[in-house]
Amino acid sequence: MSNNQFKRGELYSVINGMATTAVARRLQKNFRNAGIEITIEQWSVLYHLWKEDGLSQLELGNRTFRDKASTTRLIDNLEKQELVTRVASKDDRRINLVYLTDTAKPLQQITYELANKTMNESLQNITKEEIEVVKNVLQRVYDNLMNKDLI
Amino acid sequence: MSNNQFKRGELYSVINGMATTAVARRLQKNFRNAGIEITIEQWSVLYHLWKEDGLSQLELGNRTFRDKASTTRLIDNLEKQELVTRVASKDDRRINLVYLTDTAKPLQQITYELANKTMNESLQNITKEEIEVVKNVLQRVYDNLMNKDLI
DNA sequence: GACATATAGTTAGTTATGCAACTAATATAA
DNA sequence: TTATATTAGTTGCATAACTAACTATATGTC
């Protein structure tokens, strides 16, 4: 019995343990080899700010799938490196709006290129159609877990 | 340009940020709600020991995609909870073989059930064929990154 | 056999994660 | 308008991750 159980769980193992870890490590390695001194977690925050600057911490947490405590500390570290600044919102002084600094700006082009490079390395010999299936399935996995009750 | 870039990178974001995090949190939540006091990382080690007891730390690290330092500390914590014991190999005294204790045994059945439950929650309305495509693609992503040089 | 090299595991230092308890500011309700 | 509840963010605590430097054992070469 114990040998036959948990077949579907192997998917979790594959998703979580292998591909995700491998891609994350490769992206971090590509950053490091290019002399980019930020973590991929920090980059995920910058990435959303390059798309839309001045987001609140909570909104950044939502977009990067982090709780607010993790978001606080990531932004602490980004602030230490002078890549972002917190600005208290005038409308609601509970809210910190997070803005990119001039130091962060030159990182966009190079990190996008390194992210593209990482994706090209990761997705060799994988078709557009396959990628679409994976994205679609993983989106539905997420929706299955989010839409019921809190994760 | 910056708006049009990094299209493929969204896959990384989807894999890493959304589905993986959501599944991991749900599994941890299902453990917690059932009164199971282990982390999912600890469970990933126990899972491989239930399949094959007495693996070395390095082999456990390979199977769970961790480096040896992370594996050391994970096993430290499992040992504190008296779920595993380290036994120095007689053939090669550099090697620690890791064995399940009697305390760990009753966890197998219940955690397998909770993992199955988590997978059923995650994979609702997703077909076997889709799951096969995802597993296959993610395996190839992993192979793309592993087979070239070290991650 | 002696010296260099490789391997398994540990430790130190930094970053990141989640939960829970907390503060400060805002919104709601009596 | 005062009391209560909600919200955004911070902090404390524990676990986990990676890199690099380290110890101890084993292997290989001369």
Side-chain angles (χ1 to χ4, degrees):
Chain A
M1 172 168 69
S2 66
N3 210 16
N4 195 22
Q5 268 185 330
F6 195 49
K7 286 259 176 58
R8 305 188 95 194
E10 300 288 346
L11 173 61
Y12 164 69
S13 174
V14 169
I15 290 177
N16 195 13
M18 291 172 58
T20 304
T21 305
V23 174
R25 286 182 191 166
R26 177 61 67 95
L27 182 60
Q28 184 72 72
K29 182 189 168 194
N30 285 341
F31 279 6
R32 197 166 45 242
N33 288 350
I36 307 292
E37 301 273 334
I38 60 174
T39 67
I40 56 176
E41 292 84 2
Q42 291 168 359
W43 179 75
S44 74
V45 170
L46 297 179
Y47 172 68
H48 285 278
L49 291 176
W50 282 317
K51 288 214 268 190
E52 184 176 352
D53 204 9
L55 295 171
S56 71
Q57 295 193 191
L58 209 65
E59 184 56 31
L60 275 171
N62 287 338
R63 297 195 189 187
T64 60
F65 314 105
R66 289 184 175 89
D67 75 352
K68 53 191 186 175
S70 300
T71 306
T72 289
R73 280 186 252 255
L74 257 186
I75 293 173
D76 286 347
N77 283 331
L78 284 167
E79 219 174 23
K80 266 186 219 152
Q81 297 172 266
E82 300 188 348
L83 294 168
V84 305
T85 51
R86 288 171 161 105
V87 178
S89 166
K90 284 172 186 168
D91 300 338
D92 183 339
R93 286 171 42 222
R94 292 172 301 185
I95 297 176
N96 284 340
L97 302 177
V98 181
Y99 289 93
L100 294 160
T101 65
D102 289 343
T103 313
K105 300 223 161 90
L107 286 178
Q108 181 176 13
Q109 175 71 21
I110 176 69
T111 58
Y112 273 42
E113 283 168 11
L114 292 168
N116 274 321
K117 178 188 172 197
T118 306
M119 283 304 109
N120 289 335
E121 290 167 348
S122 302
L123 301 178
Q124 276 178 318
N125 304 316
I126 296 173
T127 66
K128 282 187 176 149
E129 291 72 25
E130 287 172 321
I131 292 174
E132 281 313 304
V133 173
V134 171
K135 287 172 74 165
N136 177 280
V137 168
L138 294 180
Q139 178 67 51
R140 279 151 62 208
V141 166
Y142 180 75
D143 293 341
N144 280 339
L145 297 176
M146 278 306 275
N147 289 345
K148 293 289 160 54
D149 38 29
L150 38 157
I151 294 185
Chain B
M1 172 167 70
S2 67
N3 208 17
N4 194 24
Q5 267 186 331
F6 196 50
K7 286 260 176 58
R8 306 187 95 195
E10 300 288 347
L11 173 62
Y12 164 70
S13 173
V14 169
I15 291 175
N16 195 15
M18 291 173 57
T20 304
T21 305
V23 173
R25 285 184 194 167
R26 177 60 68 95
L27 182 59
Q28 184 71 72
K29 182 189 168 195
N30 284 341
F31 278 7
R32 198 166 46 242
N33 288 350
I36 308 291
E37 301 274 332
I38 59 174
T39 67
I40 56 176
E41 292 85 2
Q42 291 169 359
W43 179 74
S44 74
V45 170
L46 297 179
Y47 173 68
H48 285 279
L49 291 176
W50 282 317
K51 289 213 267 191
E52 184 176 352
D53 203 8
L55 296 170
S56 71
Q57 295 192 191
L58 209 65
E59 184 56 32
L60 275 171
N62 288 338
R63 297 195 189 189
T64 59
F65 313 106
R66 288 184 177 90
D67 73 353
K68 54 191 185 174
S70 301
T71 307
T72 290
R73 277 190 251 255
L74 211 37
I75 292 173
D76 286 346
N77 283 331
L78 284 167
E79 218 173 25
K80 267 186 219 152
Q81 296 172 267
E82 301 188 348
L83 294 168
V84 304
T85 51
R86 287 171 162 105
V87 178
S89 166
K90 285 172 185 169
D91 300 337
D92 183 340
R93 287 175 37 227
R94 291 171 303 185
I95 297 175
N96 284 340
L97 302 176
V98 182
Y99 288 95
L100 294 159
T101 65
D102 290 343
T103 314
K105 301 225 160 89
L107 286 179
Q108 181 176 13
Q109 176 71 20
I110 177 68
T111 58
Y112 274 42
E113 284 167 11
L114 292 168
N116 274 321
K117 178 188 172 196
T118 306
M119 283 305 110
N120 289 336
E121 290 168 348
S122 303
L123 301 178
Q124 277 178 318
N125 303 316
I126 295 173
T127 67
K128 281 187 177 148
E129 291 72 25
E130 287 172 321
I131 291 174
E132 281 312 304
V133 173
V134 171
K135 287 172 75 164
N136 177 280
V137 168
L138 294 180
Q139 178 67 51
R140 279 150 62 207
V141 167
Y142 181 76
D143 293 341
N144 280 339
L145 297 176
M146 279 304 276
N147 290 345
K148 293 288 159 57
D149 39 28
L150 37 156
I151 293 187

